[in-house]
Coordinates of all heavy atoms in Angstrom, one line a residue:
V139 N 161.9 63.6 109.7 CA 160.9 62.7 109.1 C 160.3 61.8 110.3 O 159.1 61.6 110.3 CB 161.6 61.8 108.1 CG1 160.7 60.6 107.8 CG2 161.8 62.6 106.9
A140 N 161.1 61.4 111.2 CA 160.6 60.5 112.3 C 159.7 61.3 113.2 O 158.7 60.9 113.7 CB 161.8 60.1 113.2
G141 N 159.9 62.7 113.3 CA 158.9 63.5 114.1 C 157.7 64.0 113.4 O 156.8 64.5 114.0
F142 N 157.6 63.7 112.0 CA 156.5 64.3 111.3 C 155.2 63.9 111.9 O 154.2 64.6 111.9 CB 156.7 64.1 109.9 CG 155.9 64.9 109.0 CD1 156.1 66.3 108.9 CD2 154.8 64.4 108.3 CE1 155.3 67.2 108.0 CE2 154.0 65.2 107.6 CZ 154.2 66.5 107.4
P143 N 154.9 62.5 112.1 CA 153.6 62.1 112.7 C 153.2 62.8 113.8 O 152.1 63.2 114.1 CB 153.7 60.6 112.9 CG 154.8 60.2 112.0 CD 155.8 61.4 111.9
F144 N 154.1 63.2 114.7 CA 153.9 63.8 116.0 C 153.5 65.2 115.6 O 152.6 65.8 116.3 CB 155.1 63.8 116.9 CG 155.5 62.5 117.5 CD1 156.4 61.6 116.7 CD2 154.9 62.0 118.6 CE1 156.7 60.4 117.2 CE2 155.2 60.7 119.0 CZ 156.2 60.0 118.4
Y145 N 154.3 65.8 114.7 CA 153.9 67.2 114.3 C 152.4 67.4 113.7 O 151.7 68.2 114.0 CB 154.9 67.7 113.2 CG 154.5 69.0 112.5 CD1 154.3 70.2 113.2 CD2 154.2 69.0 111.1 CE1 154.0 71.3 112.5 CE2 153.8 70.0 110.4 CZ 153.8 71.3 111.2 OH 153.4 72.5 110.5
L146 N 152.0 66.3 112.8 CA 150.7 66.4 112.3 C 149.6 66.3 113.4 O 148.6 67.1 113.4 CB 150.6 65.3 111.2 CG 151.3 65.5 110.0 CD1 151.1 64.2 109.1 CD2 151.0 66.7 109.3
N147 N 149.8 65.4 114.3 CA 148.8 65.3 115.4 C 148.8 66.6 116.3 O 147.8 67.0 116.7 CB 149.2 64.1 116.3 CG 148.7 62.8 115.6 OD1 147.9 62.8 114.8 ND2 149.4 61.7 116.1
D148 N 150.0 67.1 116.5 CA 150.2 68.3 117.3 C 149.4 69.5 116.4 O 148.7 70.4 117.1 CB 151.6 68.8 117.4 CG 151.8 70.0 118.4 OD1 151.1 70.0 119.5 OD2 152.7 70.8 118.1
L149 N 149.5 69.6 115.2 CA 149.0 70.7 114.5 C 147.5 70.4 114.4 O 146.7 71.5 114.6 CB 149.3 70.6 113.0 CG 149.1 71.7 112.0 CD1 149.6 73.1 112.6 CD2 149.7 71.4 110.7
V150 N 146.9 69.3 114.4 CA 145.5 69.0 114.4 C 144.9 69.4 115.8 O 143.9 70.1 116.0 CB 145.2 67.5 114.0 CG1 143.7 67.2 114.4 CG2 145.4 67.2 112.7
S151 N 145.6 69.0 116.8 CA 145.1 69.2 118.3 C 145.1 70.7 118.6 O 144.2 71.2 119.1 CB 145.9 68.4 119.2 OG 147.2 68.7 119.4
T152 N 146.2 71.4 118.1 CA 146.3 72.8 118.3 C 145.3 73.6 117.6 O 144.5 74.5 118.0 CB 147.7 73.4 118.0 OG1 148.7 72.6 118.7 CG2 147.7 74.8 118.1
T153 N 144.9 73.1 116.3 CA 143.8 73.7 115.6 C 142.5 73.6 116.3 O 141.8 74.6 116.3 CB 143.8 73.1 114.2 OG1 145.1 73.3 113.4 CG2 142.7 73.8 113.3
L154 N 142.2 72.3 116.7 CA 141.0 72.1 117.3 C 140.8 72.8 118.7 O 139.7 73.5 118.9 CB 140.8 70.6 117.6 CG 140.6 69.7 116.4 CD1 140.6 68.1 116.8 CD2 139.3 70.1 115.7
T155 N 141.9 72.9 119.4 CA 141.8 73.5 120.7 C 141.7 75.0 120.5 O 140.9 75.6 121.1 CB 143.2 73.3 121.4 OG1 143.3 71.9 121.7 CG2 143.1 73.9 122.9
A156 N 142.6 75.6 119.6 CA 142.5 77.1 119.3 C 141.2 77.5 118.7 O 140.6 78.5 119.1 CB 143.6 77.6 118.4
G157 N 140.6 76.6 117.8 CA 139.4 76.9 117.2 C 138.2 77.0 118.1 O 137.5 77.8 118.2
A158 N 138.2 75.9 119.1 CA 137.2 75.9 120.1 C 137.5 77.2 121.1 O 136.3 77.8 121.5 CB 137.3 74.6 121.0
L159 N 138.6 77.4 121.5 CA 138.8 78.4 122.5 C 138.5 79.9 122.0 O 137.9 80.7 122.7 CB 140.2 78.4 123.1 CG 140.5 77.3 124.1 CD1 142.1 77.2 124.3 CD2 139.8 77.3 125.3
F160 N 138.7 80.1 120.7 CA 138.7 81.4 120.1 C 137.3 81.5 119.3 O 136.7 82.5 119.3 CB 139.8 81.8 119.2 CG 141.1 82.0 120.1 CD1 142.0 81.2 120.1 CD2 141.2 83.2 120.7 CE1 143.2 81.3 120.7 CE2 142.4 83.5 121.4 CZ 143.4 82.5 121.4
G161 N 136.8 80.3 118.8 CA 135.6 80.4 118.0 C 134.3 80.2 118.8 O 133.3 80.9 118.4
L162 N 134.3 79.3 119.7 CA 133.0 79.1 120.3 C 132.4 80.4 121.2 O 131.2 80.6 121.0 CB 133.2 77.9 121.5 CG 133.3 76.6 120.7 CD1 133.6 75.5 121.9 CD2 132.1 76.2 119.9
P163 N 133.3 81.2 121.7 CA 132.6 82.4 122.3 C 132.1 83.3 121.2 O 130.9 84.0 121.5 CB 133.8 83.1 123.0 CG 134.8 81.9 123.2 CD 134.7 81.1 122.1
V164 N 132.6 83.4 120.1 CA 132.0 84.2 118.9 C 130.8 83.5 118.4 O 129.7 84.3 118.3 CB 133.1 84.3 117.7 CG1 132.5 84.9 116.5 CG2 134.4 84.9 118.1
V165 N 130.7 82.2 118.2 CA 129.4 81.5 117.8 C 128.4 81.7 119.0 O 127.3 82.1 118.6 CB 129.8 80.1 117.6 CG1 128.5 79.3 117.4 CG2 130.6 79.9 116.4
A166 N 128.7 81.6 120.1 CA 127.8 81.8 121.3 C 127.2 83.2 121.3 O 126.0 83.5 121.5 CB 128.4 81.5 122.7
A167 N 128.1 84.3 121.1 CA 127.6 85.6 121.1 C 126.6 85.9 119.9 O 125.6 86.7 120.0 CB 128.8 86.6 121.0
K168 N 127.0 85.3 118.7 CA 126.0 85.4 117.6 C 124.6 84.7 117.8 O 123.7 85.3 117.4 CB 126.7 84.9 116.3 CG 127.9 85.8 115.9 CD 128.4 85.3 114.5 CE 129.6 86.1 114.2 NZ 129.3 87.3 113.4
I169 N 124.8 83.6 118.5 CA 123.5 82.9 118.7 C 122.5 83.8 119.7 O 121.5 84.0 119.7 CB 123.7 81.5 119.4 CG1 124.3 80.7 118.2 CG2 122.4 80.8 119.9 CD1 124.8 79.2 118.7
L170 N 123.2 84.2 120.8 CA 122.7 85.1 121.8 C 122.0 86.4 121.0 O 120.9 86.7 121.3 CB 123.5 85.5 122.9 CG 123.7 84.5 123.9 CD1 124.8 84.9 124.9 CD2 122.5 84.1 124.6
E171 N 122.8 87.0 120.2 CA 122.3 88.2 119.4 C 121.1 87.8 118.7 O 120.1 88.6 118.6 CB 123.3 88.5 118.6 CG 123.1 89.9 117.8 CD 124.1 90.4 116.9 OE1 125.4 90.3 117.4 OE2 123.9 90.9 115.8
A172 N 121.1 86.7 118.0 CA 119.9 86.2 117.1 C 118.7 86.0 118.0 O 117.6 86.2 117.6 CB 120.2 84.9 116.3
V173 N 118.9 85.4 119.1 CA 117.8 85.1 120.0 C 117.2 86.5 120.5 O 116.0 86.5 120.6 CB 118.4 84.1 121.2 CG1 117.3 84.2 122.3 CG2 118.5 82.9 120.7
R174 N 118.1 87.3 121.0 CA 117.5 88.6 121.4 C 116.8 89.4 120.3 O 115.8 90.0 120.5 CB 118.7 89.5 121.9 CG 119.3 89.0 123.3 CD 120.3 89.9 123.8 NE 120.9 89.2 125.0 CZ 122.1 89.2 125.3 NH1 123.1 89.7 124.4 NH2 122.6 88.8 126.3
T175 N 117.4 89.4 119.2 CA 116.7 90.1 118.1 C 115.4 89.4 117.8 O 114.3 90.1 117.4 CB 117.5 89.8 116.7 OG1 118.9 90.4 117.0 CG2 116.9 90.6 115.6
T176 N 115.2 88.1 117.7 CA 114.0 87.4 117.6 C 113.0 87.6 118.6 O 111.7 87.9 118.3 CB 114.2 85.8 117.5 OG1 115.1 85.5 116.4 CG2 113.0 85.1 117.2
Q177 N 113.4 87.7 119.9 CA 112.5 88.2 121.1 C 112.1 89.5 120.9 O 110.8 89.8 121.2 CB 113.3 87.9 122.3 CG 113.5 86.4 122.7 CD 114.3 86.3 124.0 OE1 115.0 87.1 124.4 NE2 114.2 85.1 124.6
S178 N 112.9 90.4 120.5 CA 112.4 91.8 120.3 C 111.5 92.0 119.3 O 110.5 92.8 119.5 CB 113.7 92.7 120.2 OG 114.3 92.6 119.0
R179 N 111.6 91.2 118.3 CA 110.7 91.3 117.2 C 109.2 90.8 117.6 O 108.2 91.2 117.0 CB 111.0 90.5 115.9 CG 112.2 91.3 115.2 CD 112.5 90.5 113.9 NE 113.9 90.9 113.4 CZ 114.7 90.3 112.7 NH1 114.4 88.9 112.4 NH2 115.8 90.7 112.3
N180 N 109.4 89.7 118.5 CA 108.1 89.0 118.8 C 107.2 89.6 120.0 O 106.2 89.3 120.5 CB 108.3 87.6 119.2 CG 108.8 86.7 118.0 OD1 108.5 87.2 116.8 ND2 109.5 85.8 118.1
E181 N 107.9 90.7 120.7 CA 107.4 91.3 121.8 C 106.1 92.1 121.2 O 106.2 92.8 120.2 CB 108.4 92.2 122.6 CG 109.3 91.4 123.4 CD 110.4 92.2 124.1 OE1 110.1 93.4 124.1 OE2 111.2 91.6 124.6
P182 N 105.0 92.0 122.0 CA 103.9 92.9 121.5 C 104.2 94.4 121.9 O 104.7 94.7 123.0 CB 102.7 92.3 122.4 CG 103.4 91.6 123.6 CD 104.7 91.2 123.2

Side-chain angles (χ1 to χ4, degrees):
V139 167
F142 197 72
F144 294 93
Y145 167 65
L146 291 178
N147 284 342
D148 190 40
L149 192 58
V150 169
S151 64
T152 302
T153 300
L154 292 173
T155 303
L159 290 170
F160 291 102
L162 289 178
V164 173
V165 170
K168 289 187 185 277
I169 291 170
L170 283 174
E171 182 181 322
V173 167
R174 286 184 186 132
T175 303
T176 303
Q177 285 177 343
S178 67
R179 286 186 198 155
N180 294 335
E181 288 181 9

